[in-house]
């Protein structure tokens, strides 16, 4: 994957709001010492995290209680 786009990520995440929160949480995890789930190359943490999301290596768990509403 030469470039990661928002559209690549949105194939695996419901909406942009969720994408932003997911990416921010994952970047915090990486900066606190978590390993990357894809090769980091020479990219910034945010770009590598977006690559993880686009590669479907990170999955959003849905809360069953919210589905009842």
């Amino acid at each position: 994957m030469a470039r990661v786009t928002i559209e690549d990520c949105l194939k695996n995440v419901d909406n942009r709001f969720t994408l932003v929160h997911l990416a921010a949480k994952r970047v915090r995890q990486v900066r606190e010492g978590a390993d990357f789930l894809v090769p980091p190359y020479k990219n910034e943490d945010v770009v590598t995290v977006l690559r993880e999301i686009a590669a479907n290596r990170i999955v959003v768990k849905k809360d069953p209680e919210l589905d009842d509403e």
Side-chain angles (χ1 to χ4, degrees), residues 4-20:
V4 64
T5 65
I6 299 302
E7 287 75 25
D8 294 333
C9 297
L10 287 174
K11 293 175 185 174
N12 301 321
V13 179
D14 292 341
N15 58 54
R16 291 173 188 257
F17 182 78
T18 303
L19 175 61
V20 168

Side-chain angles (χ1 to χ4, degrees), residues 61-69:
K61 290 185 182 179
K62 299 201 179 196
D63 189 353
E65 292 181 11
L66 296 177
D67 289 338
D68 293 339
E69 295 178 359

Side-chain angles (χ1 to χ4, degrees), residues 6-66:
I6 299 302
E7 287 75 25
D8 294 333
C9 297
L10 287 174
K11 293 175 185 174
N12 301 321
V13 179
D14 292 341
N15 58 54
R16 291 173 188 257
F17 182 78
T18 303
L19 175 61
V20 168
H21 284 279
L22 178 64
K25 183 174 183 176
R26 179 66 181 140
V27 167
R28 278 187 235 109
Q29 290 174 348
V30 166
R31 290 184 178 167
E32 290 174 0
D35 292 330
F36 286 114
L37 302 175
V38 297
Y41 302 109
K42 294 181 181 178
N43 295 319
E44 297 287 328
D45 294 343
V46 175
V47 174
T48 304
V49 165
L50 290 174
R51 287 183 189 280
E52 291 178 344
I53 295 169
N56 209 22
R57 300 296 299 256
I58 299 175
V59 179
V60 177
K61 290 185 182 179
K62 299 201 179 196
D63 189 353
E65 292 181 11
L66 296 177

